[in-house]
Amino acid sequence: MRVTPRPVKIALAQIDTTVGAFEANAARMVDRAREAAEKGAELVLFPELALCGYPPKDFLELGEFVDRCRAALEELSTHAVFDRIAALVGFPERHRGPGAGLYNAVALLRGGQVAAIVRKSLLPTYDVFDEARYFDPAPESGPLVEVAGVRLGVSICEDLWNDKQFWKQPRYLRDPIEELAAKGAELIVNVSASPYALGKPEIRRRMVGAAARRHGLPVAMCNLVGGNDSLIFDGRSLLVRANGEVQREAAPFREDVLIDELAPRHTQPSNPEARTKGASIISDETAETPAGALAVVAAYETDLSDANCRDLADALTLGIRDYMLKTGFRSAVLGLSGGIDSALTAVLAARALGPQNVTTIAMPSRYTASMSNEDAELLAKRLGVHFHTIALEPIFQAYLKALEPLFAGREPDVTEENLQARIRGTLLMAFSNKTGALLLTTGNKSELGTGFSTLYGDMAGGLAAIGDLSKTAVYALARWFNRQSATDLIPARILSRPPTAELREDQLDEDTLPPYAELDRVLRAHVEEHLGARRLIERGFAEDLVRRVLKLVVQSEYKRRQAAPVLRVTARAFGEGWRFPIAHGYRH
Amino acid sequence: MRVTPRPVKIALAQIDTTVGAFEANAARMVDRAREAAEKGAELVLFPELALCGYPPKDFLELGEFVDRCRAALEELSTHAVFDRIAALVGFPERHRGPGAGLYNAVALLRGGQVAAIVRKSLLPTYDVFDEARYFDPAPESGPLVEVAGVRLGVSICEDLWNDKQFWKQPRYLRDPIEELAAKGAELIVNVSASPYALGKPEIRRRMVGAAARRHGLPVAMCNLVGGNDSLIFDGRSLLVRANGEVQREAAPFREDVLIDELAPRHTQPSNPEARTKGASIISDETAETPAGALAVVAAYETDLSDANCRDLADALTLGIRDYMLKTGFRSAVLGLSGGIDSALTAVLAARALGPQNVTTIAMPSRYTASMSNEDAELLAKRLGVHFHTIALEPIFQAYLKALEPLFAGREPDVTEENLQARIRGTLLMAFSNKTGALLLTTGNKSELGTGFSTLYGDMAGGLAAIGDLSKTAVYALARWFNRQSATDLIPARILSRPPTAELREDQLDEDTLPPYAELDRVLRAHVEEHLGARRLIERGFAEDLVRRVLKLVVQSEYKRRQAAPVLRVTARAFGEGWRFPIAHGYRH
């Protein structure tokens, strides 16, 4: 008979990997493995696809990308540190079956070699995830891997996300954790790249806890940290006891190595009834489909609490910083209008890059109130960022004159409004081209959703820093920043003025859009929960409001298609996770 | 014993469906069914997902989109015409299994009801296709459906694309056609939405022929026709005899109803050896992966023959026209520079929309040669499109003056070049906003690939009409158009001048880019075949050329992310089928 296994000392090394930077990622893993070994850890986990970075996307279709990653893995496996500590390192593994495709795999490095390989069974192919595009599912879970006398059931991210009890019904045919438990796993290991969304960390804790409790198995989950294009990974790796309690959690939004002992499977048979209690937080309404599961995440978003605002601030700060670092930009520029959106973007940029690396430019027109300029300048001063003013009028006049012959006899309309926005976009891009600063767009999710923005105007830029924040969330986060500072960081008037684009006389956003409080609720249910008009009306939204908002969403699809990448902080952001046709005949 | 079945009279009704236009699509099907019934057809086929249009994309995640389509199907099924003729109508079918997802399904309408439902087994999830995002695979092929005494094996598009003999090895684990043959199918029916790419029609004929021959089964394939955002479907539905010969082919690039009798399975056992001959056109090198299979399509592209140029012209004409129709635009505008790209775009726009609906605008700067203006005006006159001229200089001066304080002491560089392009983009967008004309971008694939274009400048616009044509293909197609007209349609000087962006003194494209002949060959192998640097060098391209081109491709990813939708006419276009990260550390 087998001796009851003792606790294993595990290191969760949540590192910030860069896609395609095999050598840099490997070097980072060696450093962390060394650190973990020195502290007595017996096994170190790295995030999903740690060696090639996540998500590698179509690089996976270049044969030599996969080959080079494999070569880097073989080289890494011979490093002396892995004589002292076993490691699980994610990589894409080529197979020879039909399609000659890839597995999303993890290698056990030990004793100078790749001692075992485990493959992912469940491939997320929804929202921003396209894993079925690149990978084939593992035909079966396992094999179990023995480390320090404990049989580990190794799983990869989504493999852990199909607990039928937690989700109230299965999302996939297979449950890899059940399969590993049936094979005799004594501890579940999971290497993840689970992106941040508002409220998601709590879902993750409960979901992992529920699976642990149901199977009486502890779980060690190592999650990716860092920004990769639109996606922000929050880390928060978890050690969860067999009873479902969180034993330890790694830092949010930064690299961390969490080391602790985790006790393997309960030797006492656990009480099945106790196990099932509180196993699900999913309501019947939302658990119907995988999309329904996302709705659960969205449900948390109403909670713009201090803790959630801090998460948002930290997520966006990391997202901006990593985008700049990984694309090689050192400074940023943005237009400062005196409005709330650009104010918040400036605050985030200064926080991410240091104020000395941020330039703000005010570009007042004939419609700009003097208080807008004053507030913009005051904010720039408080933040310590560079500030310039460029007058729009002479350029605007030159355009109007050039267009006069073509526009003779036509009334001014949205054309002239867009023209001003595009002059601003062009000036900012000129500054970007001349100085090498990345232009940050300042549009929010309410604008992106309704098309209340100008393509090639205020939409011009390389990164939409707050493009996944509704106007409501923008205000909440701005107020949170002000509460963090002794005196208001963002001038109070910016927060108290009614929103205006200042593109014509006495313009207010609410002349064009429904009140943001209503708009944002409809948008959230439509975008994050994918509810159509009928379901929204059933939920209690006024029919005319619903039809008006959904019409705006449909009409502005072509704009979003050309928008800058949006830092994703909710269950669904515009961008890669939102794939609607432009040309169609659907009427909500 | 069963009587040898007689030939079935089949109608292939290739219609141009619109996504989400359930009623309009249904009405179109009723019309065609009536026409087919009057001509004595016993079965009418429509394209894949005909009732909801293809590709519906994330509309499939709105529960009520699926519900409304199902309701439309039930209503359609009761139409009296289906007492006279059976029909196969594609629709998304909700199922109750894990994930509560959808099948990509086809309904047999007959005698006032949905008489049978068949589901798709193989779900393309590569290039522009995301079917695994939306659908679950049918657990098994079939059931067989009997029409006019013949047992039909019904398949949906990709189900037919896994002939292991044709592709030299299986691309998927299952072969639905083999499964249907084993069940006793006497005739294979396939409802498709197979988009056009250069050379693809011939692949399709051979592939269908090979499958027919191998199983000794005739195939009736009905393909979609029309443009849907980036994708252009060419129709060319096929009736293929059991010996693999094409019996009839429907019209390319337009709606058509092809009606003919097709004889069911050979009653004589066929000679297996004869069947296998010529079964594959795939070389060993390219058949390794599904991506390799795409390479086969790409291999045809070098052939810019007259027939292929006609296909390109017809494809792009249809693509432009349908994009306009389905988004509600009635007129188009574009900038006419005197160069080849805008000339070809103008020719295509005039062909698609009628010259009276096309406006061209020349916007000369200080660097524009007078022959550019002359050639632009001459072309506009020959085409009969509207033509305007707007001088750039005063606006350019106004910008330079406004930026002077910020740019003091800095030399002119690419900033000033981009500025001119952005002024043009802004003027064109002003015209678009004021008149409701769709702005067509004029950039080609060589420019998009290398980033030799200005974001928010010449990249501004709603549709990239020639964005999937390399510069080489642009010239070939322009020459083809000139050969079609008695006198040159495109002024000869436009074709003979060396390419220049005219954004600075004496500028030539080849100052910045490798010669197009070399550039385009490297780009094609990289983009369409996904070959990395090592493979390209192995293929014989000079190493410095390869590194230079691939570096340009990587550096310009952020621009492509914000590009207008590109009409796809090759095996891989930039846009939805090209998903590379912007922020990464991969060095080719």
Side-chain angles (χ1 to χ4, degrees), chain B residues 467-508:
Chain B
D468 199 28
L469 295 184
S470 67
K471 192 82 174 182
T472 308
V474 167
Y475 275 105
L477 192 53
R479 284 194 207 97
W480 179 84
F481 270 113
N482 275 3
R483 286 198 298 276
Q484 307 306 305
S485 54
T487 54
D488 282 354
L489 188 64
I490 300 171
R493 196 161 56 183
I494 292 180
L495 280 149
S496 61
R497 282 176 70 190
T500 165
E502 294 195 320
L503 291 170
R504 60 171 189 265
E505 214 65 69
D506 298 325
Q507 186 181 30
L508 291 178

Side-chain angles (χ1 to χ4, degrees), chain A residues 19 58 61-62 64 68 127 133 229 411 416 418 433-434 456 461 530 534 562 579 582-583 585, chain B residues 19 58 61 64 68 127 133 229 411 416 418 433-434 456 461 530 534 562 579 582-583 585 587:
Chain A
V19 170
D58 277 8
E61 302 198 347
L62 294 182
E64 56 199 81
R68 283 167 64 181
D127 186 32
R133 178 178 173 92
D229 284 2
E411 290 301 305
E416 286 73 18
N418 284 336
N433 288 160
K434 191 63 92 181
Y456 325 132
H530 268 332
R534 186 173 54 76
Q562 297 186 43
R579 302 181 191 172
I582 298 176
Chain B
V19 170
D58 278 8
E61 302 200 346
E64 55 198 82
R68 282 167 64 181
D127 186 31
R133 178 179 174 90
D229 284 2
E411 290 301 305
E416 286 72 17
N418 285 336
N433 288 161
K434 191 62 93 183
Y456 324 130
H530 268 333
R534 187 173 53 78
Q562 296 186 43
R579 301 181 192 172
I582 298 175
R587 297 293 166 263

Side-chain angles (χ1 to χ4, degrees), chain B residues 127 445 467-468 527-528 566-578:
Chain B
D127 186 31
K445 193 176 195 173
D468 199 28
V527 175
E528 289 169 47
V566 170
L567 291 180
R568 176 184 178 278
V569 291
T570 71
R572 190 176 333 265
F574 293 120
E576 293 166 305
W578 175 265

